[in-house]
Amino acid sequence: MTGSVSRGSRAEDLDAELARRAMIVTAEGQARARARRAQVEQEWSPDRRAALRDRSRRAAAEMLGGSGSQG
């Protein structure tokens, strides 16, 4: 439930920012974005995602001067 609420909040924030900039998102644009996300989902294997997540966590830990462990 929390994930869907968070996604909804981000969508509302994006809608507000686009409106502030007078940008209109068309149904065609939304469809193209969905198609591109689906394409990327298929191109990225679970192992590739895990490797990127691990690299990102290590880099963040180094930037913060920590060991990367949360326990």
Side-chain angles (χ1 to χ4, degrees):
M1 177 74 176
T2 303
S4 64
V5 170
S6 179
R7 279 189 301 275
S9 178
R10 283 194 309 265
E12 289 172 3
D13 291 346
L14 177 58
D15 289 345
E17 181 62 21
L18 291 173
R20 187 180 74 76
R21 294 176 183 229
M23 297 174 75
I24 299 170
V25 179
T26 64
E28 178 186 348
Q30 290 175 339
R32 283 196 329 251
R34 278 192 298 273
R36 179 66 182 130
R37 280 194 303 271
Q39 179 183 3
V40 169
E41 287 288 325
Q42 288 191 350
E43 291 172 357
W44 280 59
S45 68
D47 289 341
R48 186 174 179 187
R49 288 181 198 284
L52 178 60
R53 207 170 24 251
D54 290 344
R55 279 196 315 267
S56 297
R57 286 181 181 150
R58 282 194 306 272
E62 288 173 14
M63 283 176 38
L64 297 173
S67 64
S69 65
Q70 295 182 358

